Amino acid sequence: MHTALLQDNFGRAIRDLRISITDRCNFRCFYCMPTEAMEWQPKTEILSYEEILKLSEIFVALGITKLRVTGGEPMLRRDLESLIARLAQIEGIEDLAMTTNAHFLGGRAQALKDAGLQRVTISLDSLQPDRFALMTGRNELPQVLAGIDAAIAAGLDPVKVNSVMMRGINDDQAVDFATFAREKSVRVRFIEFMPLDNGKVWRREMVVPGEELRQRIHAVYPLTPVKSENLSETARRFAFADGAPGEIGFINPVSQPFCGHCSRIRLTADGMIRTCLFSTVEHNIKRLLRAGATRDELMDFIIATVEKKEDRHHINDPEFVQPLRTMSCIGG
Ligand code: SAM
C-alpha cells in the first residue's frame, strides 16, 4: 500500500499522472492543434519508452496510483502494446488508462487489453460524418465508431466517450450523444471548450455550460445523479432515470472549476512536467534524466515541482493568459 508522498502546497495529494507519449496526431481538430503549420518535435526530443518507464516507476514510488497514456495520438507511437505491458507491471499502479481518438483501436483494442490496459477514453465530437470531418479535418467517423465497438468488445471498462461541445458547431447533438450512450452502454462526457488553443478560436460565447446541456438532455431522458466516491473526479455523473444503460457526465472546467480537488500532474512527450493544464511554466525533467541524475535527485525534483502546483486556473479572471502550448502538445 502506498502512502501519498506527493503533496502540493495546498494540501492536495497528487495521485494521477498523465503521460503524453507523442505530440503527433493523425487528426487535425481545429480547436486543438497550434495555429501555425504543424511542426513536430524532433524524435530525439521525445522521451523514449525506457525514459518514460523509468520516470513512471519513480512517480509511482512517490504515490501516483493512476496513469493515463495520452498525446497527440498515443496510438501513433510504435509498439504501444509493449509500453502498456511494461507500465502495467509497475507495482503500485491501480489504474492504467488511455485517451485516444480510437481511429486505430479497431484492430488493436484486444491486444491493448491483453497487455494490461484497463480502460479507455475516446474523443468524439460529432456523430454526423460531415460535422465530424469539419471538426477533425478527417472524414473517418466509421473508423472511430468501429474503434468504440472494439473497445467494448475487448472488455476495456469503462469505455468513456468525451465530447467537446461548442456553441453553434456541435452542441445541437447533445441529445444524440445521450441516445448513443444508452444504445452502446458507454459513459458519454461533455467537456466545456477550454482556452487551450493558443488564442486561435476560443471565445467565451462558444462555451456551452454543462448545466445547460444537462437540462436539454434531462428534458428528453430524465437523469438522476450518480454519487462518486472519488473526490478528484472531474465529471458530474448522471444515470438515466428509466434504468437504461450508459451514463452521462459533465466536465465543467470553465463554468464550475474543480481545481480544489485536483490530483493531476502531466508529463509532456518532450519530458516537461506540467503542474496544471493552464501552467505558463514547465519543469524540465528530461534534462536532468539525460544528464544522468540519480533516482533520489529525480525524486527531489518531482517533489519540489509538485510543491509549485498552482492553486487554481485563472480562466475566469481578467488577467488570464493562455498557455503557449495547445492541448495536442500538452497531452489531454
Ligand atoms: N488524440 C487523443 C484524443 O483524441 O483523445 C488524445 C489527445 S487529445 C489532445 C485529448 C482531448 O483533449 C481530446 O478529447 C480533445 O477533444 C481535448 N481537447 C483538446 N483541446 C481542447 C480544448 N481547447 N478544450 C477542451 N478539450 C480539448
Side-chain angles (χ1 to χ4, degrees), residues 20 22 24-27 29 31-33 69-75 98-102 121-125 162-166 191-198 202 253 277-278 326-332:
S20 173
T22 178
R24 295 172 193 235
C25 192
N26 54 322
F27 283 9
C29 301
Y31 59 89
C32 184
M33 287 269 166
V69 172
T70 181
E73 174 45 50
M75 295 197 70
M98 177 173 75
T99 304
T100 174
N101 62 32
T121 299
I122 294 167
S123 305
L124 174 60
D125 299 329
N162 278 2
S163 188
V164 179
M165 287 278 127
M166 292 179 214
I191 306 182
E192 289 177 349
F193 183 25
M194 293 181 275
L196 277 171
D197 64 336
N198 200 0
W202 190 87
L277 257 184
F278 296 93
T326 59
M327 197 76 145
S328 66
C329 302
I330 297 170

Side-chain angles (χ1 to χ4, degrees), residues 102-158:
H103 181 265
F104 301 109
L105 211 47
R108 289 169 65 192
Q110 191 63 55
L112 286 164
K113 165 82 177 159
D114 295 344
L117 187 69
Q118 293 169 13
R119 59 195 186 87
V120 75
T121 299
I122 294 167
S123 305
L124 174 60
D125 299 329
S126 176
L127 293 164
Q128 297 173 7
D130 55 340
R131 216 85 66 81
F132 179 91
L134 176 86
M135 294 189 76
T136 62
R138 297 288 181 266
N139 193 8
E140 288 168 2
L141 177 61
Q143 285 90 328
V144 171
L145 295 177
I148 294 176
D149 287 339
I152 297 168
L156 290 163
D157 186 27

Side-chain angles (χ1 to χ4, degrees), residues 153-310:
L156 290 163
D157 186 27
V159 171
K160 296 181 184 172
V161 174
N162 278 2
S163 188
V164 179
M165 287 278 127
M166 292 179 214
R167 196 176 298 285
I169 296 185
N170 63 344
D171 64 316
D172 57 325
Q173 293 175 49
V175 172
D176 296 344
F177 269 105
T179 307
F180 184 80
R182 294 163 66 90
E183 288 174 357
K184 296 274 181 196
S185 185
V186 294
R187 296 189 192 178
V188 167
R189 295 148 14 124
F190 298 100
I191 306 182
E192 289 177 349
F193 183 25
M194 293 181 275
L196 277 171
D197 64 336
N198 200 0
K200 199 168 50 155
V201 283
W202 190 87
R203 300 286 172 275
R204 187 165 293 275
E205 312 80 79
M206 295 175 79
V207 178
V208 189
E211 176 53 20
E212 180 184 324
L213 295 170
R214 190 197 65 77
Q215 286 175 19
R216 279 198 230 162
I217 293 170
H218 185 73
V220 180
Y221 299 121
L223 298 170
T224 55
V226 173
K227 204 160 167 42
S228 167
E229 314 78 54
N230 180 0
L231 259 186
S232 68
E233 184 156 56
T234 49
R236 290 166 186 242
R237 296 168 52 187
F238 293 85
F240 294 106
D242 63 1
E247 214 182 275
I248 300 292
F250 302 92
I251 302 178
N252 305 338
V254 181
S255 67
Q256 294 175 312
F258 36 80
C259 307
H261 296 299
C262 183
S263 61
R264 283 171 290 283
I265 46 168
R266 293 178 151 79
L267 180 63
T268 66
D270 58 346
M272 305 286 164
I273 301 178
R274 289 183 69 93
T275 48
C276 172
L277 257 184
F278 296 93
S279 294
T280 48
V281 286
E282 297 183 336
H283 308 270
N284 192 339
I285 195 165
K286 178 179 66 185
R287 191 166 51 210
L288 214 61
L289 180 68
R290 292 192 176 170
T294 63
R295 182 182 161 80
D296 280 352
E297 285 166 344
L298 291 166
M299 280 190 162
D300 288 346
F301 183 83
I302 293 170
I303 291 168
T305 300
V306 162
E307 282 173 1
K308 296 184 192 130
K309 185 170 163 67
E310 299 80 346

